[in-house]
Amino acid sequence: MAALDLEEQEQLSAIKSWWNQWGNAITWLVIAVSAVIIGQQGWNWYQRDQSVKASAIYDVLQEAALGGDLKKTREAAAELTEHFPGTQYAALGALLSAKIHAENNDTQTARAQLEWVKDKAAEDVVRDLARLRLAYVLIEEQKFDDAAKLLDGKAEASLEARFLEARGDLHLMRDQRDEARAAYQAALTRIDESVKAGGDAARIAQQGIRSVVEIKLDAVGGKQ
């Protein structure tokens, strides 16, 4: 190899000097960036893998629920909440299992599963839905004070009318007809506001709820 001329030697010396000063830091930076990229790819794979596995368990849960198999429904819901809590299927599975158990008078299991969703679900609307359903379970058990606590406070916008309706139901169970009437009227007002803001789609979605609330309002004396 031909000997390096003076200029090339000076360039090589400068490069070596620069590398001695900064090379170690750059190496670690490259390693760190690579680790982040690999970690992100691994996390994405893990998330997909968890979702696929949870989906299969949720299918088992749905089948068991449709068949009225409470034990299998309960076990599938427990597997989702214990091993796949970060997936949407855990909250959906617990909600479905709670519904089936409540319908079969196992309110203890229903309450436990609704509590999990209320505390652990990722989406506000899902947590509020669990709070609403749990309040109804407590109303059925005549635990009115506990139900009232769950119904207090702000709810996700799409559920505001349902929360007002539930407050009306709670007042009615307590034989507080005036308060029940006011709550039902407020629920109807909120439904109308939602329909105006959302158009035809909102009107269709709220139509069934409105009919039920109107029946309840008529039962306590109608609008005043």
Side-chain angles (χ1 to χ4, degrees):
M1 178 182 295
L4 297 174
D5 59 27
L6 181 60
E7 183 179 354
E8 290 174 331
Q9 289 179 9
E10 289 176 349
Q11 290 175 346
L12 181 59
S13 178
I15 292 172
K16 287 182 178 179
S17 177
W18 182 88
W19 182 258
N20 287 336
Q21 183 176 0
W22 300 106
N24 193 49
I26 290 173
T27 299
W28 282 110
L29 178 60
V30 171
I31 292 173
V33 171
S34 299
V36 170
I37 294 173
I38 293 171
Q40 185 64 46
Q41 291 175 341
W43 176 250
N44 290 339
W45 176 87
Y46 174 78
Q47 292 275 56
R48 289 193 297 270
D49 181 65
Q50 290 288 96
S51 183
V52 169
K53 291 178 179 177
S55 174
I57 298 169
Y58 183 73
D59 288 343
V60 171
L61 189 153
Q62 282 187 306
E63 184 177 348
L66 288 172
D69 189 335
L70 294 183
K71 182 174 181 294
K72 197 170 184 178
T73 300
R74 186 167 56 251
E75 290 173 347
E79 186 172 1
L80 285 171
T81 55
E82 289 174 13
H83 301 294
F84 305 95
T87 68
Q88 61 179 339
Y89 296 103
L92 295 176
L95 285 173
L96 177 55
S97 180
K99 178 178 182 294
I100 298 302
H101 282 85
E103 289 173 351
N104 285 273
N105 300 315
D106 185 353
T107 55
Q108 182 176 356
T109 298
R111 276 191 279 110
Q113 292 174 339
L114 290 170
E115 287 280 4
W116 187 93
V117 180
K118 178 176 70 71
D119 296 336
K120 303 293 186 180
E123 298 84 5
D124 289 342
V125 65
V126 177
R127 290 196 299 270
D128 282 348
L129 180 59
R131 183 157 60 102
L132 178 64
R133 292 185 179 179
L134 181 57
Y136 271 113
V137 170
L138 293 172
I139 289 172
E140 287 291 328
E141 294 180 333
Q142 297 191 6
K143 296 178 179 178
F144 299 141
D145 290 341
D146 292 336
K149 291 176 183 177
L150 286 173
L151 295 173
D152 284 342
K154 187 173 178 58
E156 203 275 336
S158 64
L159 293 173
E160 285 179 354
R162 298 294 305 278
F163 269 76
L164 289 166
E165 177 192 0
R167 288 169 192 154
D169 294 342
L170 176 59
H171 286 307
L172 189 58
M173 291 293 292
R174 285 175 153 172
D175 201 26
Q176 299 169 337
R177 296 175 68 85
D178 291 340
E179 291 85 348
R181 185 185 304 110
Y184 293 144
Q185 288 176 335
L188 289 176
T189 298
R190 186 66 192 91
I191 290 171
D192 290 340
E193 292 171 350
S194 177
V195 169
K196 289 179 181 178
D200 290 341
R203 178 180 56 78
I204 295 171
Q206 299 286 357
Q207 187 173 2
I209 300 173
R210 179 176 241 291
S211 298
V212 172
V213 176
E214 285 177 338
I215 292 171
K216 292 178 179 180
L217 181 57
D218 287 342
V220 294
K223 295 182 180 181
Q224 298 292 315

